[in-house]
Amino acid sequence: MTPRRDARSLQRRARRGPSGVLLAAVMLAAGAAFCGCGASSGTVPGCGDPLRLAIIAQSVPSASYLPCILDLAPGWNTSGFNPTQDGTSFLLNSDRSPGQPVTIRVTATCNASGASPSPSRAPGVLTYTRLDSISPRFAGTLYDVFPGGCISYGFDFAPGSQIALVEQFEDAIGLYPRQQLRLVLKQKLGIELNP
């Protein structure tokens, strides 16, 4: 579909009301994600990109928080943005850990059994860390658990700079409140996020 036909389709849907606009906007953003027409950081939503955040929100309708890119340290990029009906996943790649991306998944539930409590990353969020290996590789999973959802971050780094890499990927990912996204979509774009 050409951009002109996409715009006409969005205009037709806008006449049907706010829900139609959100659906059309999300479909356009998803189309850009799947065709590789996204921003320079990949198609993973930045924390200031409400339409792309809506794609993640629709993939986990119960999640009270959504993962988004705050800021990438030098040498990091994103790839593999994959929204589905069961959640969304994407990758964070570092040039200091080639071939070993951090896998981020947001789902309605997760199993953090065996993980140790860590400092919370946002209000109302329980954060846990499970280390699977310290040597020869530093590997494990970080979990952010909150009402209606969970974000897991699977990592596997070679020894040496693993502490810095863990801090960098934690700093790269923001937890965007669904309530805030609902307000932004309503106030700035006049569309409703359901639920």
Side-chain angles (χ1 to χ4, degrees):
M1 190 177 274
T2 66
R4 176 174 276 165
R5 290 175 70 190
D6 284 344
R8 277 188 247 151
S9 175
L10 182 58
Q11 289 170 346
R12 280 194 302 273
R13 288 181 185 262
R15 290 184 204 119
R16 295 183 197 155
S19 294
V21 173
L22 178 60
L23 177 61
V26 169
M27 289 174 64
L28 282 173
F34 294 128
C35 78
C37 308
S40 61
S41 66
T43 55
V44 178
C47 294
D49 189 348
L51 289 179
R52 286 194 183 162
L53 279 168
I55 295 171
I56 298 176
Q58 296 299 89
S59 76
V60 187
S62 61
S64 55
Y65 282 96
L66 310 165
C68 56
I69 301 299
L70 280 171
D71 190 29
L72 293 174
W76 286 85
N77 64 60
T78 64
S79 64
F81 183 62
N82 184 27
T84 70
Q85 292 180 339
D86 300 319
T88 296
S89 64
F90 58 90
L91 304 175
L92 279 180
N93 311 286
S94 171
D95 61 1
R96 291 194 290 164
S97 184
Q100 296 294 330
V102 178
T103 303
I104 294 96
R105 288 187 179 90
V106 58
T107 53
T109 62
C110 64
N111 181 3
S113 63
S116 301
S118 296
S120 176
R121 292 174 21 88
V125 174
L126 299 174
T127 302
Y128 302 93
T129 304
R130 178 174 47 225
L131 291 178
D132 299 323
S133 170
I134 296 174
S135 180
R137 300 193 63 84
F138 189 73
T141 307
L142 178 77
Y143 299 93
D144 285 322
V145 182
F146 43 82
C150 174
I151 303 170
S152 63
Y153 312 80
F155 57 90
D156 183 353
F157 300 130
S161 58
Q162 70 270 13
I163 301 301
L165 291 174
V166 169
E167 288 175 356
Q168 287 174 0
F169 88 71
E170 285 185 39
D171 290 345
I173 303 294
L175 301 178
Y176 198 94
R178 183 184 204 92
Q179 238 356 71
Q180 184 176 344
L181 177 61
R182 186 176 280 121
L183 289 172
V184 168
L185 289 171
K186 179 71 173 170
Q187 292 173 353
K188 292 190 176 179
L189 303 172
I191 53 180
E192 300 281 346
L193 175 66
N194 292 314

